[in-house]
Amino acid sequence: MDFNNDKPIYRQIIDYAFNCIIAGQWLPEAKVPSVRELAVQMTVNTHTVLKAFEYLQQHDIIFPKRGMGYFLSYDAKDKVLSARREEFYTTTLPALFREMEMLGITIDDINEHYRP
């Protein structure tokens, strides 16, 4: 995985997990890759992955089964979508609005160019 310098690596691992959940690659109540597997896959230290897993566990997105590893919560996708929306509204959208203001772009301009 190519990491960028704008965000701590453990946060980028959380984003990777979020993407896997949203895309349906990690399924509800199924086992997720182990800390060691993910560390090897991403070529990072296991402590970095563990920090990301601690975040996911604290937010009830994954849960441990003693001796078996980590599993995805049944409602993980809903929690991830909610977290992503909150991040969009608090981080992405304000930056977008600042850029729009600097460039003189209006909401009407955006609506004119929006193509779902």
Side-chain angles (χ1 to χ4, degrees), residues 3-92:
F3 296 103
N4 66 50
N5 294 328
D6 297 341
K7 193 184 267 191
I9 291 174
Y10 86 96
R11 287 292 314 176
Q12 293 177 62
I13 294 169
I14 292 167
D15 290 342
Y16 171 80
F18 280 8
N19 289 340
C20 289
I21 294 164
I22 291 169
Q25 296 169 335
W26 292 7
L27 300 174
E29 300 187 5
K31 189 175 185 315
V32 300
S34 71
V35 170
R36 184 171 284 131
E37 289 169 338
L38 210 50
V40 168
Q41 177 185 338
M42 302 184 122
T43 62
V44 297
N45 188 299
T46 55
H47 293 287
T48 306
V49 175
L50 188 59
K51 188 172 181 177
F53 273 34
E54 287 171 354
Y55 172 92
L56 296 171
Q57 189 176 352
Q58 288 171 352
H59 290 83
D60 297 321
I61 294 168
I62 62 172
F63 62 93
K65 284 188 182 178
R66 188 175 175 142
M68 296 179 66
Y70 289 95
F71 291 76
L72 196 63
S73 300
Y74 74 94
D75 60 348
K77 187 172 182 176
D78 292 335
K79 290 178 181 178
V80 168
L81 289 172
S82 178
R84 279 277 173 92
R85 285 184 187 111
E86 182 62 29
E87 182 180 3
F88 177 81
Y89 291 131
T90 60
T91 305
T92 305

